[in-house]
Amino acid sequence: MPHALTIREKKGKGGNIYYPLHLSLVPKPTPGPGELLVKLEAAALNHRDLFIRKHLYPNISFKAPLLSDGYGIVVEAGPGCVLSDQLLHQPVLLTPARGWKADPIGPEDYSQFAGIGGTAPNHHLGAAQNYVVVDESEVELCPGHLSPAEGAALPSCGLTAWRALVIKSGNAEAGRNILVTGIGGGVALQALQFGLALGCNMYVTSGSQEKIDKATQLGAKGGVIYKNEDWNVNLQKMLPVERPFLDAVIDGAGGSIVMKTTTLLKHGGIISCYGMTLGPSMDWLMSAVLKNIELRGSTLGSRLEFRDMVNFVKEKEIKPIISRTVKGLDCVDAIDGLFDDMAAAKQFGKLVIEI
């Protein structure tokens, strides 16, 4: 029988609990009308999954398989599938959320918007299982240059980075100076890769010189250690003489990012914030107001943006960076090790299970 990887419930409060992983046998699902059966071959972790295990994420489900990002092969089509000729026996990527079609502002109905993997109301959806049934509209053909692990690495991070950089920053253009904070994480690396492919001058921050060195090898113009109090001063010295300012910041940390970058950003510059790993609040300064700086929140993206992102990856032959993989859903201890890497910020790229 197929397996599914979930979390096991135990008592505790958010932030003071760490739900153990639980592997169980489940029946092989059957696709209904307009649905596809996908045999999953790889699934990738996100910080979202770590927050779920710590009970720091809404609508946690102890029934839903974990992980929102998956690559698999369509092995069966239900009755009435109009795309079966295109999708049957083909490698596909799962869309990581439901309830947001195309509106560039946000989900058409926020009450219907939800990610998949480890959360309600989509208790059967998640990439940490051998088989999943999805609506035929909720997959994209995987670009042919990607391996299963690379394909699984793309959905959530690629979509989040695409929206934060291309849709929300307003500066995804050749020659613009873009700062990506916290390089090494999946979203930050995808933003770096997308920006480079668009011809932007990309700069990074990290707590590790090794990660900065790897980012510059990928094409970043430079990087600074955010643990140094004057990192913004050091970054200023790296900016080109002919354009000595940042056009936008792509940030997933929060904290003091407004204070540190206000002097670096141009008048009317953008801080596109897709996460706040340092805490649930940040300061907003009058100096940012006087420079007409905008802080824009960005969460995942629409179904249309997902398609656009995948097509861009295909066109530019971008390969997501993989930090480490483990083989097998049944290797629970090894999968726990991937979570440990993420918790300790050891990774440079994505952490992937080869199913």
Side-chain angles (χ1 to χ4, degrees):
M1 290 181 68
H3 289 92
L5 187 69
T6 61
I7 50 174
R8 187 170 66 246
E9 188 172 8
K10 68 176 186 178
K11 293 182 179 180
K13 295 182 178 180
N16 295 316
I17 193 170
Y18 192 57
Y19 293 121
L21 298 176
H22 178 66
L23 186 70
S24 58
L25 292 171
V26 294
K28 183 179 177 181
T30 301
E35 294 180 333
L36 303 171
L37 177 65
V38 180
K39 184 178 187 296
L40 289 157
E41 295 191 356
L45 277 65
N46 292 289
H47 272 92
R48 170 185 187 273
D49 303 299
L50 183 63
F51 295 149
I52 286 172
R53 293 191 68 182
K54 293 182 175 182
H55 205 101
L56 295 174
Y57 202 84
N59 302 318
I60 290 173
S61 169
F62 298 99
K63 300 177 182 178
L66 290 169
L67 312 187
S68 58
D69 294 356
Y71 166 108
I73 306 295
V74 177
V75 294
E76 187 178 343
C81 280
V82 298
L83 299 175
S84 58
D85 289 346
Q86 303 172 39
L87 298 174
L88 195 59
H89 309 305
Q90 297 300 310
V92 295
L93 307 179
L94 305 183
T95 57
R98 301 291 184 270
W100 186 357
K101 294 180 180 179
D103 192 334
I105 300 300
E108 291 80 5
D109 180 353
Y110 274 92
S111 68
Q112 301 301 309
F113 177 65
I116 68 169
T119 56
N122 301 305
H123 294 287
H124 73 287
L125 294 175
Q129 55 184 329
N130 293 111
Y131 293 92
V132 65
V133 166
V134 296
D135 188 274
E136 64 176 335
S137 66
E138 297 294 356
V139 298
E140 283 290 328
L141 284 170
C142 182
H145 69 284
L146 298 182
S147 69
E150 291 166 341
L154 185 62
S156 290
C157 286
L159 181 57
T160 301
W162 181 262
R163 181 166 174 80
L165 174 64
V166 177
I167 307 300
K168 300 302 291 280
S169 83
N171 284 281
E173 301 177 17
R176 300 293 176 95
N177 296 330
I178 310 292
L179 173 66
V180 178
T181 63
I183 203 66
V187 177
L189 279 167
Q190 286 298 162
L192 172 63
Q193 290 182 297
F194 291 162
L196 291 171
L198 289 164
C200 302
N201 300 317
M202 303 299 292
Y203 299 86
V204 301
T205 71
S206 176
S208 160
Q209 185 60 49
E210 181 183 2
K211 291 183 180 182
I212 290 175
D213 292 342
K214 289 181 178 179
T216 56
Q217 291 170 12
L218 290 172
K221 296 290 185 181
V224 291
I225 302 290
Y226 63 71
K227 295 177 182 178
N228 296 333
E229 183 62 29
D230 58 350
W231 68 258
N232 52 331
V233 176
N234 296 331
L235 180 59
Q236 178 72 70
K237 297 173 183 177
M238 297 180 181
L239 298 174
V241 174
E242 67 276 12
R243 198 175 184 86
F245 51 78
L246 293 175
D247 293 280
V249 177
I250 311 300
D251 179 60
S256 61
I257 192 64
V258 177
M259 179 183 70
K260 289 294 187 181
T261 59
T262 292
T263 57
L264 296 172
L265 281 160
K266 67 182 180 183
H267 285 264
I270 306 296
I271 301 173
S272 182
C273 179
Y274 64 85
M276 298 177 67
T277 57
L278 293 179
S281 62
M282 68 171 76
D283 291 332
W284 182 248
L285 306 181
M286 189 62 196
S287 55
V289 175
L290 294 173
K291 288 188 73 174
N292 290 289
I293 289 170
E294 295 183 39
L295 176 62
R296 299 178 178 176
S298 187
T299 298
L300 273 178
S302 70
R303 181 66 182 84
L304 177 61
E305 289 163 357
F306 185 78
R307 178 171 296 140
D308 290 343
M309 180 273 294
V310 173
N311 286 338
F312 183 79
V313 167
K314 179 180 179 180
E315 175 192 348
K316 301 295 184 180
E317 295 191 346
I318 294 169
K319 290 190 173 185
I321 308 300
I322 306 298
S323 181
R324 191 160 71 89
T325 66
V326 300
K327 292 184 181 294
L329 274 180
D330 55 345
C331 295
V332 176
D333 288 345
I335 295 171
D336 253 329
L338 296 181
F339 278 93
D340 292 342
D341 284 1
M342 181 173 287
K346 289 182 179 180
Q347 79 277 17
F348 186 86
K350 294 291 289 183
L351 300 162
V352 180
I353 306 167
E354 296 179 290
I355 298 173

